[in-house]
Amino acid sequence: TLEQKYVIKTGHQSFEHWTNPIALGIRWLAISDSKLYSHIQSVGGVSEHLTPPVASTVMNTVKKGFAAISDTISGLTGRTQSVQSSCVTNNEVIPSYHAVVTVLDILYPHNGEVQVSELRKSEGIVAHFLAHSSTDVCITAMSFNRSGELLFTADSEGQCFNIFKVLSRFEGPQKTFVQHLYSLYRGSTTGKVQDVCFSNDSRWIAVSTLNGTTHIFPISSYGGDITTRTHTSSHVVNQLSRFHTSAGISSGTSSSLNLPPAPPPAPPPTLLSSNASKRNILPCTVMPLQQIKQPYTSGPLNVPPGTTSS
């Protein structure tokens, strides 16, 4: 029989009714939130120093331009314009982000209803961070890997996906370090994620969209560049260390993997945000190694002549 433990009242419903932006790991539950609460905010999160691909930047700029024209026309015709939601705290306007993730410990003895904004840092919260920097998007898909330490997130635009590594601490979510490992670039067109699957060794991730395409990305559980050393072996290799450099062991290149050229890396940051960590490393931008196109069929499958469907 099923027994109800508690009800989570906090959360942000995505724009599409068929998505359910939650992720259940072996012990953690990740939910999408609508606001970023400073008293439980974790260290790290989405990197502020990513350089998006040119095509994606142009497409987003064009869409925002059309939205501004639409708001102007709506104002001239007397219709209500869209206003970015915000809250005021100590005379300071703080935007209400829509791409926030809260990770809860499912074994913590919560009772009744759970409201994240009212919880203290010691009440079963593992992490609380901003997963996507845009304020006009929301999270539409999330997934943990097999070990439960890597978290995949996708927003409503579906152009770039993020991979985070959650390093929890007993002191609470403010001491938890959320490292942004990878930004997976799918393409400049919008797409809605339908399914996500990590490989058992967390070296590959497949992302399927409602466009009928499955994108396969190479990743690593400790981050860093994708090379022949990390992905041509039949087993997971250790992270490249100073020993390999001093011994003259080559780290390998990405040529044998036939990886498409990645966008240029972002320049090193000159000023870190208040919640940044000295251990924070810039994420790598990864292009899909393979794209599998599967035609989407909403009706019944075609039955060959002379046969009957059962």
Side-chain angles (χ1 to χ4, degrees), residues 112-181:
E113 297 181 352
V114 177
Q115 189 80 19
V116 174
S117 60
E118 300 175 357
L119 295 177
R120 296 185 296 272
K121 64 180 181 179
S122 60
E123 294 184 332
I125 301 179
V126 178
H128 179 76
F129 60 96
L130 185 66
H132 295 266
S133 57
S134 299
T135 57
D136 54 350
V137 299
C138 68
I139 295 178
T140 57
M142 291 188 292
S143 179
F144 280 110
N145 69 333
R146 189 177 185 181
S147 63
E149 65 176 359
L150 297 184
L151 178 64
F152 165 93
T153 64
D155 61 16
S156 52
E157 291 182 347
Q159 297 175 349
C160 290
F161 313 129
N162 291 331
I163 301 291
F164 299 97
K165 186 173 185 177
V166 182
L167 303 174
S168 63
R169 300 289 296 271
F170 292 106
E171 294 88 344
Q174 288 182 321
K175 299 296 184 180
T176 296
F177 181 60
V178 182
Q179 183 179 0
H180 188 184
L181 296 183

Side-chain angles (χ1 to χ4, degrees), residues 184 202 221 277 289:
L184 311 179
S202 298
S221 58
S277 171
L289 182 64

Side-chain angles (χ1 to χ4, degrees), residues 286-304:
V286 178
M287 309 288 283
L289 182 64
Q290 189 63 257
Q291 300 183 38
I292 304 173
K293 184 67 175 178
Q294 177 66 33
Y296 176 75
T297 57
S298 58
L301 297 177
N302 295 330
V303 179

Side-chain angles (χ1 to χ4, degrees), residues 210-223:
L210 290 179
N211 297 340
T213 307
T214 298
H215 306 265
I216 301 177
F217 298 91
I219 61 173
S220 176
S221 58
Y222 45 74

Side-chain angles (χ1 to χ4, degrees), residues 237-300:
V237 297
N238 294 330
Q239 187 174 7
L240 189 66
S241 64
R242 294 181 180 179
F243 166 76
H244 296 88
T245 304
S246 60
I249 301 176
S250 175
S251 62
T253 61
S254 59
S255 58
S256 63
L257 290 178
N258 295 323
L259 292 174
T270 57
L271 180 64
L272 295 180
S273 59
S274 58
N275 69 327
S277 171
K278 294 181 180 179
R279 298 181 297 165
N280 196 13
I281 303 174
L282 293 178
C284 297
T285 301
V286 178
M287 309 288 283
L289 182 64
Q290 189 63 257
Q291 300 183 38
I292 304 173
K293 184 67 175 178
Q294 177 66 33
Y296 176 75
T297 57
S298 58

Side-chain angles (χ1 to χ4, degrees), residues 81-124:
Q81 299 184 20
S82 61
V83 180
Q84 176 67 35
S85 59
S86 61
C87 59
V88 179
T89 304
N90 297 330
N91 298 326
E92 181 181 359
V93 178
I94 302 177
S96 297
Y97 295 102
H98 294 285
V100 178
V101 173
T102 301
V103 181
L104 301 175
D105 186 354
I106 59 178
L107 297 184
Y108 185 86
H110 290 292
N111 294 318
E113 297 181 352
V114 177
Q115 189 80 19
V116 174
S117 60
E118 300 175 357
L119 295 177
R120 296 185 296 272
K121 64 180 181 179
S122 60
E123 294 184 332

